[in-house]
Amino acid sequence: MELKNVILEKEGHLAIVTINRPKALNALNSETLKDLDTVLEDLEKDSNVYAVILTGAGEKSFVAGADIAEMKDLNEEQGKEFGILGNNVFRRLEKLDKPVIAAVSGFALGGGCELAMSCDIRIASVKAKFGQPEAGLGITPGFGGTQRLARIVGPGKAKELIYTCDIINAEEAYRIGLVNKIVELENLIDEAKAMANKIAANAPKAVAYCKDAIDRGMQVDIDAAILIEAEDFGKCFATEDQTEGMTAFLERRAEKNFQNK
Ligand code: CAA
């Protein structure tokens, strides 16, 4: 796998994906988006990975947005194409059958905030800053920000943030439900790993079905949503890990030998 701006590391059952373009504060150009897509293809196939951490290289920035230099001279059609490229990669990330934790050190602006919102869970350092500054650049958020921010924090707060271009700190992001947890900067990756390992200790297929049920269920009415849950619940009973999990309980055995099968 040849990658220029993204690093993929694997440790036990965890994968750590680092956006690594420090000269532009990890801004997402098309090369970086394609790297991320390549990494996702690998992760989709790797049944040994049970949880993923997504972060940005360096302490200053998670991702400072889509690459403004690359976007400046785009015409309408090229703008739409760039938006679709980013949206397709982020949707692929969102639909990955493994939980993804965004570990946000510093700036998560524009496409960076949108990338974090495409993850399942966001852990922020005390130094993290979030915002959608696009309107100040003459554009809308283009990698899902208008949709995911409204779904996560509600349309009123999303509109306020997107229209004003306000940059908020970790405390405010936590207050409005944009981040799950705030930690000291030096503990960020360790805290993300601790949470990822806690998730990875549970049955991976069950976690994947939980993700599917929550994500698909949020898009439909409650009657359709509980049917999605019933389908996913049923599918768990076709897994070896369901047998193992319940047998371990009945045998009063703390150790469980989940195999992602
Ligand atoms: N695109 C391209 N380059 C970027 C960038 C971006 N989004 N963000 C930072 N950089 C580059 C800067 O141009 C600079 O490069 P040079 O050293 O070659 O000049 C380098 O990264 C360091 O940045 P600064 O000197 O600006 O660092 P700072 O500490 O003074 O400021 C910052 C940090 C507040 C994050 C500032 O860089 C900034 O405002 N960045 C842009 C944030 C932004 O507007 N993001 C949204 C982009 S649009 C978008 O994302 C659209 C979409 O939804 C798809």
Side-chain angles (χ1 to χ4, degrees):
M1 195 186 335
E2 205 182 302
L3 301 171
K4 292 204 178 76
N5 301 324
V6 177
I7 300 166
L8 172 61
E9 297 162 288
K10 293 182 184 170
E11 288 178 23
H13 289 303
L14 305 190
I16 298 131
V17 179
T18 306
I19 309 294
N20 182 37
R21 205 176 158 235
K23 66 175 183 195
L25 299 182
N26 306 323
L28 300 170
N29 57 2
S30 17
E31 194 177 68
T32 310
L33 289 168
K34 283 176 190 153
D35 277 0
L36 189 54
D37 202 47
T38 304
V39 163
L40 290 170
E41 191 175 347
D42 178 279
L43 295 176
E44 282 165 1
K45 290 182 194 145
D46 193 338
S47 59
N48 193 47
V49 171
Y50 296 176
V52 179
I53 295 167
L54 178 63
T55 193
E59 296 186 344
K60 187 171 171 182
S61 181
F62 172 69
V63 164
D67 192 295
I68 298 169
E70 183 174 335
M71 286 185 291
K72 181 181 164 289
D73 294 324
L74 299 183
N75 62 29
E76 181 174 348
E77 196 181 323
Q78 292 164 330
K80 187 174 173 187
E81 267 172 33
F82 189 59
I84 288 172
L85 170 69
N87 265 316
N88 285 346
V89 178
F90 285 20
R91 187 75 179 122
R92 189 173 190 173
L93 169 68
E94 188 171 52
K95 287 167 81 175
L96 186 70
D97 66 344
K98 299 158 171 74
V100 184
I101 300 172
V104 180
S105 53
F107 293 112
L109 302 178
C113 188
E114 292 168 310
L115 181 61
M117 290 192 292
S118 303
C119 300
D120 297 280
I121 291 166
R122 286 156 288 284
I123 301 182
S125 94
V126 289
K127 299 245 163 83
K129 298 257 191 295
F130 296 82
Q132 298 287 163
E134 286 90 344
L137 294 163
I139 56 174
T140 67
F143 295 166
T146 57
Q147 304 310 307
R148 291 195 182 91
L149 189 58
R151 282 165 170 76
I152 294 171
V153 305
K157 198 68 196 173
K159 286 176 175 174
E160 180 190 331
L161 288 172
I162 290 172
Y163 300 170
T164 61
C165 300
D166 279 351
I167 306 294
I168 57 170
N169 62 20
E171 204 57 57
E172 176 66 359
Y174 180 72
R175 196 186 68 79
I176 65 173
L178 182 55
V179 304
N180 297 63
K181 192 172 181 177
I182 306 175
V183 300
E184 292 299 325
L185 180 59
E186 58 270 27
N187 299 335
L188 178 65
I189 296 300
D190 284 347
E191 293 268 1
K193 283 185 184 172
M195 190 188 281
N197 277 318
K198 200 172 187 181
I199 294 169
N202 294 318
K205 289 216 183 302
V207 173
Y209 287 134
C210 292
K211 174 169 176 168
D212 179 75
I214 295 168
D215 285 349
R216 288 203 294 133
M218 291 293 292
Q219 308 306 324
V220 297
D221 67 74
I222 186 73
D223 291 312
I226 54 175
L227 288 178
I228 292 173
E229 187 191 73
E231 263 173 40
D232 281 326
F233 181 68
K235 283 179 188 164
C236 293
F237 290 85
T239 67
E240 292 177 20
D241 287 346
Q242 174 268 330
T243 309
E244 167 62 11
M246 293 196 179
T247 305
F249 173 81
L250 293 172
E251 290 175 353
R252 300 185 180 277
R253 168 161 58 81
E255 278 302 304
K256 290 171 205 156
N257 186 23
F258 291 131
Q259 299 289 328
N260 196 14
K261 283 184 182 155

